[in-house]
Coordinates of all heavy atoms in Angstrom, one line a residue:
M148 N 0.8 -1.2 0.0 CA 0.0 0.0 0.0 C 0.9 1.2 0.0 O 1.8 1.3 0.8 CB -0.9 0.0 1.2 CG -1.8 1.1 1.2 SD -2.7 1.2 2.7 CE -4.2 0.6 2.4
A149 N 0.6 2.2 -0.8 CA 1.4 3.4 -1.0 C 1.0 4.4 0.0 O -0.2 4.6 0.3 CB 1.3 3.9 -2.4
K150 N 1.9 5.1 0.6 CA 1.6 6.1 1.6 C 1.7 7.5 0.8 O 2.6 7.7 0.0 CB 2.6 6.2 2.7 CG 2.5 5.0 3.6 CD 3.4 5.2 4.8 CE 3.3 4.0 5.7 NZ 4.1 4.1 6.9
T151 N 0.7 8.3 1.1 CA 0.7 9.7 0.5 C 1.1 10.7 1.5 O 0.6 10.6 2.7 CB -0.6 10.0 -0.2 OG1 -1.6 9.9 0.9 CG2 -1.0 9.0 -1.3
K152 N 1.8 11.6 1.1 CA 2.2 12.7 2.0 C 1.3 13.9 1.7 O 1.2 14.3 0.5 CB 3.7 13.1 1.9 CG 4.6 12.0 2.4 CD 6.0 12.5 2.3 CE 6.9 11.4 2.8 NZ 8.3 11.8 2.8
G153 N 0.8 14.5 2.7 CA 0.0 15.7 2.4 C 0.4 16.8 3.3 O 1.0 16.6 4.4
N154 N 0.2 18.0 2.8 CA 0.5 19.2 3.6 C -0.7 19.6 4.4 O -1.8 19.6 3.9 CB 1.0 20.3 2.7 CG 2.4 20.0 2.1 OD1 3.1 19.3 2.7 ND2 2.6 20.6 0.9
V155 N -0.5 19.9 5.6 CA -1.6 20.4 6.5 C -1.4 21.9 6.7 O -0.3 22.3 7.1 CB -1.6 19.6 7.8 CG1 -2.7 20.2 8.7 CG2 -1.8 18.2 7.6
R156 N -2.4 22.6 6.4 CA -2.3 24.1 6.7 C -3.2 24.4 7.8 O -4.3 23.9 7.9 CB -2.8 24.9 5.5 CG -1.8 24.9 4.3 CD -2.3 25.8 3.3 NE -1.3 26.0 2.3 CZ -1.5 26.8 1.2 NH1 -2.6 27.4 1.1 NH2 -0.5 26.9 0.4
E157 N -2.6 25.2 8.7 CA -3.4 25.6 9.9 C -3.7 27.1 9.7 O -2.9 27.9 9.2 CB -2.5 25.5 11.2 CG -2.3 24.1 11.6 CD -1.5 24.1 12.9 OE1 -1.6 25.0 13.7 OE2 -0.8 23.1 13.1
K158 N -4.9 27.4 10.0 CA -5.3 28.8 10.0 C -5.2 29.4 11.4 O -5.7 28.8 12.3 CB -6.8 29.0 9.5 CG -6.9 28.8 8.0 CD -8.3 29.2 7.6 CE -8.5 29.2 6.1 NZ -9.8 29.6 5.7
R159 N -4.5 30.5 11.4 CA -4.4 31.2 12.7 C -5.0 32.6 12.6 O -4.8 33.3 11.6 CB -2.9 31.4 13.1 CG -2.2 30.1 13.4 CD -0.9 30.4 14.0 NE -0.2 29.1 14.2 CZ 1.1 29.0 14.5 NH1 1.8 30.1 14.6 NH2 1.6 27.9 14.8
K160 N -5.8 32.9 13.5 CA -6.4 34.2 13.5 C -5.5 35.1 14.3 O -5.3 34.9 15.5 CB -7.8 34.1 14.1 CG -8.5 35.4 14.0 CD -10.0 35.3 14.5 CE -10.7 36.6 14.3 NZ -12.1 36.6 14.7
I161 N -5.0 36.1 13.7 CA -4.1 37.1 14.4 C -4.9 38.3 14.7 O -5.5 38.9 13.7 CB -2.9 37.4 13.5 CG1 -2.1 36.1 13.2 CG2 -2.0 38.5 14.2 CD1 -1.0 36.3 12.3
T162 N -4.9 38.7 15.9 CA -5.6 39.9 16.3 C -4.6 40.9 16.8 O -3.7 40.6 17.5 CB -6.7 39.7 17.4 OG1 -6.0 39.1 18.5 CG2 -7.8 38.7 16.9
V163 N -4.7 42.1 16.3 CA -3.9 43.2 16.7 C -4.6 44.1 17.6 O -5.7 44.6 17.2 CB -3.4 44.0 15.4 CG1 -2.5 45.1 15.8 CG2 -2.6 43.0 14.5
K164 N -4.1 44.3 18.8 CA -4.8 45.1 19.8 C -4.3 46.6 19.6 O -3.2 46.9 19.4 CB -4.4 44.7 21.2 CG -5.0 45.5 22.3 CD -4.6 45.0 23.7 CE -5.2 45.9 24.7 NZ -4.3 46.6 25.5
E165 N -5.3 47.4 19.5 CA -5.0 48.8 19.4 C -4.4 49.3 20.7 O -4.7 48.9 21.8 CB -6.3 49.6 19.2 CG -7.0 49.4 17.9 CD -6.3 50.0 16.7 OE1 -5.7 51.1 16.8 OE2 -6.2 49.3 15.7
P166 N -3.4 50.3 20.6 CA -2.8 50.7 21.8 C -3.7 51.6 22.6 O -4.6 52.2 22.1 CB -1.6 51.6 21.3 CG -2.1 52.0 19.9 CD -2.9 50.9 19.4
D167 N -3.5 51.5 23.9 CA -4.3 52.4 24.8 C -3.9 53.8 24.5 O -2.8 54.2 24.2 CB -3.9 52.1 26.3 CG -4.4 50.7 26.8 OD1 -5.3 50.2 26.2 OD2 -3.8 50.2 27.7
M168 N -4.9 54.7 24.6 CA -4.8 56.1 24.3 C -4.8 56.9 25.5 O -5.5 56.5 26.5 CB -5.9 56.5 23.3 CG -5.9 55.8 22.0 SD -4.4 55.9 21.0 CE -4.6 57.5 20.3
Y169 N -4.1 58.0 25.5 CA -3.9 58.9 26.7 C -4.3 60.3 26.3 O -3.8 60.8 25.2 CB -2.5 58.8 27.2 CG -2.2 57.4 27.8 CD1 -1.9 56.4 27.1 CD2 -2.4 57.3 29.2 CE1 -1.7 55.1 27.6 CE2 -2.1 56.0 29.8 CZ -1.8 55.0 29.0 OH -1.6 53.7 29.6
R170 N -5.0 61.0 27.2 CA -5.3 62.4 27.0 C -4.2 63.2 27.5 O -3.7 63.0 28.7 CB -6.6 62.8 27.7 CG -7.9 62.2 27.2 CD -9.1 62.7 28.0 NE -10.1 61.8 27.9 CZ -10.4 60.8 28.9 NH1 -9.7 60.8 30.0 NH2 -11.4 60.0 28.7
V171 N -3.8 64.2 26.8 CA -2.8 65.2 27.3 C -3.6 66.4 27.7 O -4.3 67.0 26.9 CB -1.7 65.5 26.2 CG1 -0.8 66.6 26.8 CG2 -1.0 64.3 25.8
K172 N -3.5 66.8 29.0 CA -4.2 68.0 29.5 C -3.2 69.1 29.8 O -2.2 68.8 30.4 CB -4.9 67.6 30.8 CG -6.1 66.7 30.6 CD -6.7 66.4 32.0 CE -8.1 66.0 32.0 NZ -8.6 65.8 33.4
M173 N -3.6 70.3 29.4 CA -2.8 71.5 29.8 C -3.6 72.3 30.8 O -4.8 72.5 30.6 CB -2.5 72.3 28.5 CG -1.5 73.4 28.8 SD -1.0 74.2 27.2 CE 0.1 72.9 26.5
H174 N -3.0 72.6 31.9 CA -3.6 73.3 33.0 C -3.3 74.8 33.1 O -2.2 75.2 32.7 CB -3.2 72.6 34.3 CG -3.6 71.2 34.4 ND1 -4.7 70.7 34.9 CD2 -2.9 70.1 33.9 CE1 -4.7 69.4 34.8 NE2 -3.6 69.0 34.2
N175 N -4.3 75.6 33.5 CA -4.1 77.0 33.7 C -3.3 77.3 34.9 O -3.3 76.6 35.9 CB -5.5 77.7 33.8 CG -5.4 79.2 33.8 OD1 -4.7 79.7 33.0 ND2 -6.2 79.8 34.6
D176 N -2.6 78.4 34.8 CA -1.9 79.0 36.0 C -1.9 80.5 35.9 O -2.2 81.0 34.8 CB -0.5 78.4 36.2 CG 0.5 78.7 35.1 OD1 0.8 79.9 34.9 OD2 0.9 77.8 34.3
D177 N -1.4 81.1 36.9 CA -1.5 82.6 36.9 C -0.2 83.2 36.3 O -0.1 84.5 36.3 CB -1.7 83.1 38.3 CG -3.1 82.8 38.8 OD1 -4.0 82.6 38.0 OD2 -3.3 82.7 40.0
F178 N 0.8 82.4 35.9 CA 2.1 83.0 35.5 C 2.4 82.8 34.1 O 3.1 83.6 33.5 CB 3.2 82.4 36.4 CG 2.9 82.6 37.9 CD1 2.4 81.6 38.7 CD2 3.2 83.9 38.4 CE1 2.2 81.9 40.0 CE2 2.9 84.1 39.8 CZ 2.4 83.1 40.6
T179 N 2.0 81.6 33.5 CA 2.4 81.4 32.1 C 1.5 82.3 31.2 O 0.3 82.3 31.3 CB 2.1 79.9 31.8 OG1 2.7 79.0 32.7 CG2 2.5 79.5 30.4
T180 N 2.2 82.9 30.3 CA 1.5 83.9 29.4 C 0.7 83.1 28.3 O 1.0 82.0 28.0 CB 2.5 84.8 28.6 OG1 3.3 84.0 27.8 CG2 3.4 85.5 29.6
M181 N -0.4 83.8 27.9 CA -1.2 83.2 26.9 C -0.5 83.0 25.6 O -0.7 82.0 24.9 CB -2.5 84.1 26.7 CG -3.4 84.1 27.9 SD -4.8 85.2 27.5 CE -5.7 85.0 29.0
D182 N 0.4 83.9 25.3 CA 1.2 83.8 24.0 C 2.1 82.6 24.0 O 2.2 81.9 23.0 CB 2.0 85.1 23.8 CG 1.2 86.3 23.5 OD1 0.1 86.1 22.9 OD2 1.7 87.4 23.7
F183 N 2.7 82.3 25.2 CA 3.5 81.1 25.3 C 2.7 79.9 25.2 O 3.1 78.9 24.5 CB 4.3 81.1 26.7 CG 5.2 79.9 26.8 CD1 6.4 79.9 26.2 CD2 4.8 78.8 27.6 CE1 7.2 78.8 26.3 CE2 5.6 77.7 27.7 CZ 6.8 77.7 27.0
V184 N 1.5 79.8 25.7 CA 0.7 78.6 25.6 C 0.3 78.4 24.2 O 0.4 77.3 23.7 CB -0.6 78.8 26.5 CG1 -1.6 77.7 26.2 CG2 -0.2 78.8 28.0
V185 N -0.1 79.4 23.5 CA -0.4 79.3 22.0 C 0.8 78.8 21.3 O 0.7 77.9 20.4 CB -0.9 80.7 21.5 CG1 -1.0 80.6 19.9 CG2 -2.2 81.1 22.0
E186 N 2.0 79.3 21.6 CA 3.2 78.9 20.9 C 3.5 77.4 21.1 O 3.9 76.7 20.2 CB 4.4 79.8 21.3 CG 5.6 79.7 20.3 CD 5.2 80.1 18.9 OE1 4.4 80.9 18.6 OE2 5.8 79.4 18.0
V187 N 3.4 77.0 22.3 CA 3.6 75.6 22.6 C 2.6 74.7 21.9 O 2.9 73.6 21.3 CB 3.5 75.3 24.2 CG1 3.4 73.8 24.5 CG2 4.7 75.9 24.9
L188 N 1.3 75.1 21.9 CA 0.3 74.4 21.2 C 0.6 74.3 19.7 O 0.3 73.2 19.1 CB -1.1 75.0 21.4 CG -1.7 74.8 22.8 CD1 -2.9 75.7 23.0 CD2 -2.0 73.4 23.1
R189 N 1.2 75.3 19.1 CA 1.5 75.2 17.7 C 2.8 74.4 17.5 O 2.8 73.6 16.5 CB 1.7 76.7 17.2 CG 0.4 77.5 17.3 CD 0.4 78.8 16.5 NE 0.5 78.5 15.1 CZ 1.1 79.2 14.2 NH1 1.7 80.3 14.6 NH2 1.1 78.9 12.9
Q190 N 3.8 74.6 18.3 CA 5.1 73.9 18.1 C 5.1 72.4 18.5 O 5.6 71.6 17.7 CB 6.2 74.6 18.8 CG 6.7 75.9 18.3 CD 7.8 76.5 19.1 OE1 8.4 75.9 19.9 NE2 8.1 77.8 18.8
V191 N 4.5 72.1 19.6 CA 4.6 70.8 20.2 C 3.4 69.9 19.7 O 3.6 68.8 19.4 CB 4.7 70.8 21.7 CG1 4.7 69.4 22.3 CG2 5.9 71.6 22.2
F192 N 2.2 70.5 19.7 CA 1.0 69.8 19.4 C 0.5 70.0 18.0 O -0.5 69.5 17.6 CB -0.1 70.1 20.4 CG 0.3 69.7 21.8 CD1 1.0 70.6 22.7 CD2 0.1 68.4 22.2 CE1 1.3 70.2 23.9 CE2 0.4 68.0 23.5 CZ 1.1 68.9 24.4
F193 N 1.2 70.8 17.2 CA 0.9 71.1 15.8 C -0.5 71.5 15.5 O -1.2 71.1 14.6 CB 1.3 69.8 14.9 CG 2.7 69.3 15.1 CD1 2.9 68.2 15.8 CD2 3.7 70.1 14.6 CE1 4.2 67.7 16.0 CE2 5.0 69.7 14.8 CZ 5.3 68.5 15.5
K194 N -0.9 72.5 16.4 CA -2.3 73.1 16.2 C -2.2 74.3 15.3 O -1.1 75.0 15.2 CB -2.8 73.5 17.5 CG -2.9 72.4 18.6 CD -3.9 71.3 18.1 CE -4.0 70.2 19.2 NZ -4.8 69.1 18.8
S195 N -3.2 74.6 14.6 CA -3.3 75.8 13.8 C -3.4 77.0 14.7 O -3.7 76.9 15.9 CB -4.5 75.8 12.8 OG -5.7 75.9 13.6
E196 N -3.2 78.2 14.2 CA -3.2 79.4 15.0 C -4.6 79.5 15.6 O -4.8 79.8 16.8 CB -3.0 80.6 14.1 CG -3.0 81.9 14.8 CD -1.7 82.2 15.6 OE1 -0.7 81.7 15.3 OE2 -1.9 83.0 16.6
A197 N -5.7 79.3 14.8 CA -7.0 79.4 15.3 C -7.3 78.4 16.4 O -7.9 78.7 17.5 CB -8.0 79.3 14.2
E198 N -6.9 77.1 16.2 CA -7.2 76.1 17.1 C -6.4 76.3 18.4 O -6.9 76.1 19.5 CB -6.8 74.7 16.5 CG -7.3 73.5 17.3 CD -7.0 72.2 16.7 OE1 -6.4 72.2 15.6 OE2 -7.5 71.2 17.2
A199 N -5.1 76.8 18.3 CA -4.3 77.0 19.5 C -4.9 78.2 20.3 O -5.0 78.1 21.5 CB -2.9 77.4 19.0
N200 N -5.4 79.2 19.7 CA -6.1 80.3 20.4 C -7.3 79.8 21.1 O -7.6 80.2 22.2 CB -6.4 81.5 19.5 CG -5.2 82.3 19.3 OD1 -4.6 82.8 20.2 ND2 -4.8 82.5 18.0
A201 N -8.1 79.0 20.4 CA -9.4 78.5 21.0 C -9.0 77.6 22.2 O -9.7 77.7 23.3 CB -10.2 77.7 20.0
L202 N -8.0 76.7 22.1 CA -7.6 75.9 23.2 C -7.1 76.7 24.4 O -7.4 76.4 25.6 CB -6.6 74.9 22.8 CG -7.1 73.6 22.1 CD1 -6.0 72.9 21.4 CD2 -7.9 72.8 23.0
M203 N -6.3 77.7 24.1 CA -5.7 78.6 25.1 C -6.9 79.3 25.9 O -6.8 79.3 27.1 CB -4.8 79.6 24.5 CG -4.2 80.6 25.5 SD -5.2 82.1 25.7 CE -5.3 82.8 24.1
L204 N -7.9 79.7 25.2 CA -9.0 80.4 25.9 C -9.8 79.4 26.7 O -10.2 79.7 27.8 CB -9.9 81.1 24.9 CG -9.3 82.4 24.3 CD1 -10.2 82.9 23.2 CD2 -9.1 83.4 25.3
S205 N -9.9 78.2 26.2 CA -10.6 77.1 27.0 C -9.8 76.8 28.3 O -10.4 76.6 29.3 CB -10.8 75.9 26.1 OG -11.4 74.9 26.8
I206 N -8.5 76.7 28.1 CA -7.7 76.4 29.3 C -7.8 77.6 30.3 O -8.0 77.3 31.5 CB -6.2 76.3 28.9 CG1 -6.0 75.0 28.0 CG2 -5.3 76.3 30.1 CD1 -4.7 75.0 27.3
H207 N -7.8 78.8 29.8 CA -7.9 80.0 30.7 C -9.3 80.0 31.4 O -9.3 80.3 32.6 CB -7.7 81.2 29.9 CG -7.7 82.5 30.7 ND1 -6.7 82.8 31.6 CD2 -8.6 83.5 30.7 CE1 -7.0 84.0 32.1 NE2 -8.2 84.4 31.6
K208 N -10.3 79.7 30.7 CA -11.7 79.8 31.3 C -12.1 78.6 32.2 O -12.7 78.7 33.2 CB -12.7 80.0 30.2 CG -12.6 81.3 29.5 CD -13.6 81.4 28.4 CE -13.5 82.7 27.7 NZ -14.4 82.8 26.5
S209 N -11.7 77.4 31.7 CA -12.1 76.2 32.4 C -11.1 75.6 33.4 O -11.4 74.7 34.2 CB -12.4 75.1 31.4 OG -13.3 75.5 30.5
G210 N -9.9 76.1 33.4 CA -8.8 75.6 34.3 C -8.0 74.5 33.6 O -6.8 74.4 34.0
Y211 N -8.4 73.9 32.6 CA -7.6 72.9 31.8 C -8.4 72.6 30.5 O -9.6 72.9 30.4 CB -7.3 71.6 32.6 CG -8.5 70.7 32.7 CD1 -8.8 69.7 31.7 CD2 -9.4 70.8 33.7 CE1 -9.9 68.9 31.8 CE2 -10.5 70.0 33.8 CZ -10.7 69.0 32.9 OH -11.8 68.2 32.9
A212 N -7.6 72.0 29.6 CA -8.3 71.5 28.4 C -7.4 70.3 27.9 O -6.2 70.2 28.1 CB -8.3 72.6 27.3
V213 N -8.1 69.4 27.2 CA -7.4 68.3 26.6 C -6.9 68.8 25.2 O -7.6 69.3 24.4 CB -8.4 67.1 26.3 CG1 -7.7 66.0 25.5 CG2 -8.9 66.5 27.6
V214 N -5.6 68.8 25.1 CA -4.9 69.3 23.9 C -4.6 68.3 22.9 O -4.1 68.6 21.8 CB -3.7 70.2 24.3 CG1 -4.2 71.4 25.1 CG2 -2.7 69.4 25.0
G215 N -4.7 67.0 23.2 CA -4.5 65.9 22.3 C -4.7 64.6 22.9 O -4.7 64.4 24.1
I216 N -4.9 63.6 22.1 CA -5.1 62.2 22.5 C -4.1 61.3 21.7 O -4.2 61.3 20.5 CB -6.5 61.7 22.3 CG1 -7.5 62.6 23.1 CG2 -6.6 60.2 22.7 CD1 -8.9 62.3 22.9
Y217 N -3.2 60.6 22.4 CA -2.1 59.9 21.8 C -1.8 58.6 22.4 O -2.2 58.4 23.6 CB -0.8 60.8 21.8 CG -0.9 62.2 21.4 CD1 -1.2 63.2 22.2 CD2 -0.8 62.5 20.0 CE1 -1.3 64.5 21.8 CE2 -1.0 63.8 19.6 CZ -1.2 64.8 20.5 OH -1.3 66.1 20.0
P218 N -1.1 57.7 21.7 CA -0.6 56.5 22.4 C 0.4 57.0 23.5 O 0.9 58.1 23.5 CB 0.2 55.8 21.3 CG -0.4 56.3 20.0 CD -0.8 57.7 20.3
Y219 N 0.6 56.1 24.5 CA 1.4 56.5 25.7 C 2.7 57.1 25.4 O 3.1 58.2 25.9 CB 1.6 55.2 26.6 CG 2.4 55.5 27.8 CD1 1.7 56.2 28.9 CD2 3.7 55.2 28.0 CE1 2.4 56.5 30.1 CE2 4.4 55.5 29.1 CZ 3.7 56.1 30.2 OH 4.4 56.4 31.3
D220 N 3.6 56.5 24.6 CA 4.9 57.0 24.3 C 4.9 58.4 23.7 O 5.7 59.3 24.1 CB 5.7 56.1 23.3 CG 6.0 54.8 24.0 OD1 6.0 54.7 25.2 OD2 6.3 53.8 23.3
I221 N 4.0 58.7 22.8 CA 3.9 60.0 22.2 C 3.3 61.0 23.2 O 3.9 62.1 23.2 CB 3.0 59.9 20.9 CG1 3.6 59.0 19.9 CG2 2.7 61.3 20.4 CD1 2.8 58.8 18.7
A222 N 2.4 60.6 24.0 CA 1.8 61.5 25.0 C 3.0 61.9 26.0 O 3.1 63.1 26.3 CB 0.7 60.9 25.8
V223 N 3.7 61.0 26.5 CA 4.8 61.3 27.4 C 5.9 62.2 26.7 O 6.4 63.1 27.4 CB 5.5 60.0 27.9 CG1 6.8 60.2 28.6 CG2 4.5 59.2 28.8
S224 N 6.2 61.9 25.5 CA 7.1 62.7 24.8 C 6.7 64.2 24.6 O 7.5 65.1 24.9 CB 7.4 62.1 23.4 OG 8.2 62.9 22.6
K225 N 5.4 64.4 24.3 CA 4.9 65.7 24.2 C 4.9 66.4 25.6 O 5.2 67.6 25.6 CB 3.5 65.7 23.6 CG 3.6 65.3 22.1 CD 2.3 65.5 21.4 CE 2.4 65.1 19.9 NZ 3.2 66.1 19.1
V226 N 4.5 65.7 26.6 CA 4.6 66.3 28.0 C 6.0 66.7 28.3 O 6.2 67.9 28.8 CB 4.0 65.4 29.0 CG1 4.3 65.8 30.4 CG2 2.5 65.2 28.8
E227 N 7.0 65.9 28.1 CA 8.4 66.2 28.4 C 8.9 67.4 27.6 O 9.5 68.3 28.1 CB 9.2 65.0 28.2 CG 9.0 63.9 29.2 CD 9.8 62.6 28.9 OE1 10.4 62.5 27.8 OE2 9.8 61.7 29.7
K228 N 8.5 67.4 26.3 CA 9.0 68.5 25.5 C 8.3 69.8 26.0 O 9.0 70.9 26.0 CB 8.6 68.3 24.0 CG 9.2 69.3 23.1 CD 9.0 68.8 21.6 CE 9.7 69.8 20.7 NZ 9.5 69.4 19.3
T229 N 7.1 69.8 26.3 CA 6.4 71.0 26.8 C 7.0 71.5 28.1 O 7.2 72.7 28.3 CB 4.9 70.7 27.0 OG1 4.3 70.3 25.8 CG2 4.1 71.9 27.6
N230 N 7.2 70.5 29.0 CA 7.9 70.9 30.3 C 9.2 71.5 30.1 O 9.6 72.5 30.8 CB 7.9 69.7 31.2 CG 6.6 69.3 31.8 OD1 5.7 70.1 31.9 ND2 6.5 68.0 32.2
L231 N 10.0 71.0 29.2 CA 11.3 71.5 28.9 C 11.3 72.9 28.4 O 12.0 73.8 28.9 CB 12.1 70.6 27.9 CG 13.5 71.0 27.5 CD1 14.4 70.9 28.7 CD2 14.0 70.2 26.4
L232 N 10.4 73.2 27.4 CA 10.2 74.5 26.9 C 9.7 75.5 28.0 O 10.2 76.6 28.1 CB 9.2 74.5 25.8 CG 9.7 74.0 24.4 CD1 8.5 73.9 23.5 CD2 10.7 75.0 23.8
A233 N 8.8 75.0 28.8 CA 8.2 75.9 29.9 C 9.3 76.3 30.9 O 9.5 77.5 31.3 CB 7.1 75.2 30.6
R234 N 10.2 75.3 31.3 CA 11.2 75.6 32.3 C 12.3 76.5 31.7 O 12.8 77.4 32.3 CB 11.9 74.3 32.8 CG 10.9 73.3 33.5 CD 10.0 74.0 34.5 NE 9.0 73.1 35.0 CZ 7.7 73.2 34.6 NH1 7.3 74.1 33.8 NH2 6.8 72.3 35.1
E235 N 12.6 76.3 30.4 CA 13.6 77.2 29.7 C 13.1 78.6 29.7 O 13.9 79.5 29.7 CB 13.8 76.7 28.3 CG 14.7 75.4 28.1 CD 14.8 75.0 26.7 OE1 14.2 75.5 25.8 OE2 15.5 74.0 26.5
H236 N 11.8 78.8 29.6 CA 11.3 80.2 29.6 C 10.8 80.7 30.9 O 10.2 81.8 31.0 CB 10.1 80.2 28.6 CG 10.6 80.1 27.1 ND1 10.8 78.9 26.5 CD2 10.9 81.1 26.2 CE1 11.2 79.2 25.3 NE2 11.3 80.5 25.1
G237 N 11.0 79.9 32.0 CA 10.7 80.3 33.3 C 9.2 80.2 33.7 O 8.8 80.9 34.6
F238 N 8.5 79.4 33.0 CA 7.0 79.2 33.3 C 6.7 77.9 34.0 O 7.3 76.9 33.8 CB 6.2 79.3 32.0 CG 6.3 80.6 31.3 CD1 6.8 80.7 30.0 CD2 5.8 81.8 31.9 CE1 6.8 81.9 29.4 CE2 5.9 83.0 31.3 CZ 6.4 83.1 30.0
P239 N 5.8 78.0 35.0 CA 5.4 76.7 35.7 C 4.3 76.0 35.0 O 3.5 75.3 35.7 CB 5.0 77.3 37.1 CG 4.3 78.6 36.7 CD 5.2 79.1 35.6
L240 N 4.2 76.0 33.7 CA 3.1 75.4 33.0 C 3.0 73.9 33.4 O 4.0 73.2 33.4 CB 3.3 75.5 31.5 CG 2.3 74.9 30.6 CD1 0.9 75.6 30.8 CD2 2.7 75.1 29.1
K241 N 1.8 73.5 33.7 CA 1.5 72.1 34.1 C 0.8 71.3 33.0 O -0.2 71.8 32.5 CB 0.7 72.0 35.4 CG 0.4 70.6 35.9 CD -0.4 70.7 37.2 CE -0.8 69.3 37.6 NZ -1.7 69.3 38.8
V242 N 1.4 70.2 32.6 CA 0.8 69.4 31.6 C 0.8 67.9 32.1 O 1.8 67.4 32.6 CB 1.6 69.4 30.2 CG1 0.9 68.6 29.2 CG2 1.8 70.8 29.8
T243 N -0.4 67.3 32.0 CA -0.5 65.9 32.6 C -1.1 65.0 31.5 O -1.7 65.4 30.5 CB -1.5 65.9 33.8 OG1 -2.7 66.4 33.4 CG2 -0.9 66.8 34.9
I244 N -1.0 63.7 31.8 CA -1.7 62.7 30.9 C -2.6 61.8 31.8 O -2.3 61.6 33.0 CB -0.7 61.8 30.1 CG1 0.2 61.0 31.1 CG2 0.2 62.6 29.2 CD1 1.0 59.9 30.3
E245 N -3.6 61.3 31.1 CA -4.5 60.4 31.8 C -5.0 59.4 30.8 O -5.2 59.8 29.6 CB -5.6 61.0 32.6 CG -6.6 61.7 31.7 CD -7.8 62.4 32.5 OE1 -7.6 62.8 33.6 OE2 -8.9 62.4 31.9
Q246 N -5.2 58.2 31.2 CA -5.7 57.1 30.2 C -7.1 57.4 29.8 O -7.9 57.8 30.6 CB -5.5 55.8 30.9 CG -5.8 54.7 29.9 CD -5.4 53.3 30.4 OE1 -5.0 53.2 31.5 NE2 -5.5 52.3 29.5
E247 N -7.4 57.2 28.6 CA -8.7 57.5 28.0 C -9.6 56.4 28.4 O -9.3 55.2 28.5 CB -8.6 57.7 26.5 CG -9.9 58.1 25.9 CD -9.8 58.6 24.5 OE1 -9.2 57.8 23.7 OE2 -10.2 59.7 24.2

């Protein structure tokens, strides 16, 4: 009796989990200038002039605003860059992240 060799294919279902997202919040204070906040929103968060001004006013009136939602590594990087710029300019600007 002849033996036949056959190939067996297995199907595997691969699922890719979306990364957890984090909100970056910028908080109001009495010392950081509005112009500096707008500049940070434009340079670090790549907001347009109009969007940066709207966010700055929201931060000023509400006490804080969510300025972006990013994966963890990007959120931390933006917070660190913002903190570095704020300290270089002598401002106590507070930026935090929280899981969405």
